[in-house]
Every structure is written in C-alpha cells, then in structure tokens.
Amino acid sequence: MKSSHNIVLIGFMGAGKGSVARELAQNLDRFNVDTDDMIESSLNMKIREIFSEFGETHFRALEKNLAKFLAKNLKNAIISTGGGFAMVKGLNKIGKVIYLKASFDCIIERMRNSENAEKKFAKRPLLNDLDKARELHKSREKIYEKKADIIINVENKTIKQIAKEIKKILNKEKD
Ligand code: S3P
C-alpha cells in the first residue's frame, strides 16, 4: 500500500473504530480523522441532535457528501467512520478499507462494561432499541464484508493488539 493512501476503518457501532484509528495514527505516524466528528463540527451539532432535528435520511446525505470530499481531498490519513458510512458509494476510492468485525453480543457486552457506558449508548440514537440494533448488525455484516479489503476479527482483543495486527498486514503488503 502506498503511504499516500488513506486507511478507512469500517464496522458496527462500538467496534472500536475510533480507538483503533488513534492507536494506528500514533503507530504509523499519521493523522486520524473521524467522519462523525467532521459532520458534527461542520454543523456544530451532535449526531443525536442531527438525527432528531433533520432525521436519519439527512444524516446519510451528509455522509455521502463527506465521502466525496474525502476521496478528493484527503491523503495519508487514518479515517474512522460512523457505522453506516460504509454504505456510501465509492468507499474504496477513499482508501484501503478495513472492517473491524465483532458479533453484536460482544460489542454490546463490551460497551456495557466500559467506563463511560452510559455516554456511549446515549450518543448513539440507533442503539435506543437493542432489538432493532441487532437486526441492523445482522443486515450490515455482509455489506461490511463485501466492502472490506481486509477483515480483522476484533473480539476479545485489546486496541493495541488490533492495531498491531493491522500494521503487520499492511507491512506485509509493502513487500
Ligand atoms: C451510526 C453509527 C454512529 C453514527 C450514527 C449512525 C450507524 O457512529 O454515525 O449514530 O448508522 O451505525 P459509530 O459507529 O461511531 O457509533
């Protein structure tokens, strides 16, 4: 992989995309950006507010625009994405796509046991109803797999272990 290429982390809510992106950025001496953060800061609104004021459809349109912007303007970065961002067209034009894969139960269990569990659930409108979220996970798994260049099983692994695994694969590809 060329060093100018971005790395795009995809996967379900709570899979650890943001934390892995930060760790990878440090390891690879790159900068990381997050699609939700970019959308939040450009509207000066939180994701939950965007959902409740403008609706999910509008949020998806913002993701679509952002995808075009990233493909055109960003290089050499680690990009963590919102769980639905992988549905945009031309995802692989942005960079090398890595899917952080974990079962729904594993993700929810880990979120529940995390330090700021309440905050993690509160900021994600699509986790309000866990039955619906489970269905969403099920329906998205195949899409994530199809869109991914690399699939990393992240269950029972620390952020450092996941980042190390990714780095190893990327290094191998350089040879
Ligand atoms: C969403 C995931 C969230 C955020 C929004 C919608 C989704 O990001 O983009 O709440 O559709 O899966 P995280 O994956 O960072 O939680």
Side-chain angles (χ1 to χ4, degrees):
M1 193 187 75
K2 276 196 207 158
S3 63
S4 63
H5 286 177
N6 298 306
I7 294 170
V8 185
L9 300 178
I10 63 166
F12 202 68
M13 293 171 266
K17 293 161 290 181
S19 307
V20 172
R22 283 188 286 277
E23 182 68 23
L24 270 181
Q26 282 182 24
N27 285 341
L28 300 173
D29 201 20
R30 296 196 193 191
F31 283 105
N32 64 294
V33 297
D34 180 87
T35 59
D36 281 346
D37 289 350
M38 290 180 83
I39 289 173
E40 285 188 335
S41 71
S42 63
L43 272 75
N44 196 20
M45 286 170 89
K46 292 288 175 198
I47 298 293
R48 186 171 275 283
E49 293 168 338
I50 300 171
F51 267 68
S52 63
E53 260 191 57
F54 304 129
E56 183 175 344
T57 312
H58 183 72
F59 177 71
R60 299 303 171 199
L62 294 169
E63 286 189 314
K64 219 166 130 186
N65 281 345
L66 179 57
K68 282 189 205 150
F69 172 83
L70 294 174
K72 214 170 159 191
N73 299 295
L74 194 66
K75 282 197 181 93
N76 208 20
I78 315 289
I79 306 170
S80 52
T81 63
F85 190 85
M87 313 305 137
V88 299
K89 257 198 228 154
L91 183 74
N92 60 353
K93 286 197 188 126
I94 303 174
K96 184 142 211 127
V97 178
I98 304 182
Y99 168 32
L100 305 187
K101 181 180 163 80
S103 71
F104 183 74
D105 288 328
C106 170
I107 286 172
I108 296 302
E109 182 70 12
R110 209 172 46 189
M111 280 180 68
R112 280 190 178 135
N113 292 330
S114 70
E115 250 175 47
N116 34 11
E118 215 171 296
K119 214 169 139 196
K120 285 189 176 159
F121 280 97
K123 74 171 195 181
R124 294 178 164 106
L126 298 180
L127 290 181
N128 285 351
D129 179 334
L130 287 185
D131 290 332
K132 274 195 190 156
R134 183 185 290 278
E135 283 306 308
L136 186 64
H137 181 276
K138 202 171 154 193
S139 69
R140 279 188 181 163
E141 269 198 302
K142 281 200 180 65
I143 305 172
Y144 290 140
E145 283 181 11
K146 226 169 120 185
K147 298 242 178 174
D149 297 306
I150 299 170
I151 300 172
I152 307 278
N153 190 322
V154 298
E155 288 194 20
N156 305 315
K157 289 178 191 162
T158 64
I159 298 301
K160 281 197 191 315
Q161 284 171 329
I162 299 163
K164 210 170 154 187
E165 201 175 320
I166 293 174
K167 214 177 140 185
K168 212 167 147 188
I169 295 173
L170 296 176
N171 277 336
K172 256 196 202 153
E173 289 187 351
K174 260 197 224 160
D175 300 337

